[in-house]
Amino acid sequence: DAGVTQSPTHLIKTRGQQVTLRCSPISGHKSVSWYQQVLGQGPQFIFQYYEKEERGRGNFPDRFSARQFPNYSSELNVNALLLGDSALYLCASTTLPPVAAFFGQGTRLTVV
Amino acid sequence: ELKVEQNPLFLSMQEGKNYTIYCNYSTTSDRLYWYRQDPGKSLESLFVLLSNGAVKQEGRLMASLDTKARLSTLHITAAVHDLSATYFCAVDIITGNQFYFGTGTSLTVIP
């Protein structure tokens, strides 16, 4: 069975640009959540989606947005990139209630 | 503000020794997760603890949860080099799949 897949794996962007990250959950999982992990820190919760509806939002600015599609895949968008947005972005999928959350390999975003 | 704190932040231990990592959290939750992360890699699920008093063991690792004390422990028995990694605990407080992670414990096992 395929796990959680994220694309791209690496990305380099310039300050002020916009970026879209993609996530495909495990088959049968309807909940997707996004996390930002800055080097040396634990992952920080950004968004959770379930059945295409936003179920939760972490303490991130409005430059961050996301959506979930009918096939339960998800996109994370970040506008007006800042240097501080450089991080590993992780996607997790799970059933609800969760037995465990499974993480993708992540997208490493570098803003220069 | 929800806080999830782990200690120690850094742990260097010799092979064969035992040690415990502690995870304290500041809000009510019945669901606590432990993850392992190798450098440059994603998170690997180790344990899911879903009730007070839950104890789970896998190989040299054992995790427990005390929801009344808001404390979880990850005990390492007879450490081996392959256990070197960063370990995170995470609390799930709302509807599921909204995890709040601890600060992480970087474990180095010295031969």
Side-chain angles (χ1 to χ4, degrees), chain B residues 41-54:
Chain B
K41 303 294 186 182
S42 188
L43 296 167
E44 174 191 354
S45 178
L46 294 175
F47 297 107
V48 179
L49 304 169
L50 298 177
S51 62
N52 185 41

Side-chain angles (χ1 to χ4, degrees), chain B residues 7-70:
Chain B
N7 69 82
L9 298 182
F10 299 93
L11 176 57
S12 181
M13 56 190 299
Q14 287 186 317
E15 280 191 333
K17 297 294 186 180
N18 303 332
Y19 209 85
T20 300
I21 299 171
Y22 296 89
C23 173
N24 291 89
Y25 53 98
S26 64
T27 192
T28 302
S29 176
D30 291 335
R31 297 186 294 274
L32 193 290
Y33 303 78
W34 284 95
Y35 287 89
R36 167 180 172 148
Q37 188 174 42
D38 292 295
K41 303 294 186 182
S42 188
L43 296 167
E44 174 191 354
S45 178
L46 294 175
F47 297 107
V48 179
L49 304 169
L50 298 177
S51 62
N52 185 41
V55 177
K56 291 197 173 180
Q57 183 166 4
E58 180 71 34
R60 301 175 187 275
L61 301 178
M62 183 174 70
S64 65
L65 178 61
D66 181 344
T67 59
K68 295 179 181 178
R70 299 179 184 174

Side-chain angles (χ1 to χ4, degrees), chain A residues 31 33 35 37 48 99 101 104, chain B residues 35 37 42 48 95-99:
Chain A
S31 176
S33 58
Y35 297 83
Q37 186 177 24
Q48 184 209 355
V99 175
Chain B
Y35 287 89
Q37 188 174 42
S42 188
V48 179
T95 59
N97 208 4
Q98 294 185 31
F99 297 105

Side-chain angles (χ1 to χ4, degrees), chain A residues 5 16 22 32 39 54 61 70 74 79 84 86 94 100 111-112:
Chain A
T5 57
R22 295 177 176 83
V32 169
L39 191 63
E54 181 182 304
S74 177
N79 294 321
S86 295
T94 184
V111 182
V112 298

Side-chain angles (χ1 to χ4, degrees), chain A residues 19-79:
Chain A
V19 67
T20 297
L21 311 180
R22 295 177 176 83
C23 172
S24 294
I26 292 171
S27 177
H29 287 189
K30 299 179 180 180
S31 176
V32 169
S33 58
W34 288 94
Y35 297 83
Q36 180 196 67
Q37 186 177 24
V38 174
L39 191 63
Q41 298 182 16
Q44 299 293 314
F45 170 70
I46 310 176
F47 286 110
Q48 184 209 355
Y49 277 79
Y50 177 68
E51 290 278 17
K52 296 172 288 182
E53 292 188 0
E54 181 182 304
R55 286 292 190 93
R57 171 188 287 254
N59 188 24
F60 280 81
D62 291 343
R63 298 185 296 108
F64 289 76
S65 63
R67 56 179 175 169
Q68 187 177 33
F69 298 98
N71 66 353
Y72 305 115
S73 67
S74 177
E75 287 183 350
L76 175 70
N77 295 284
V78 187
N79 294 321

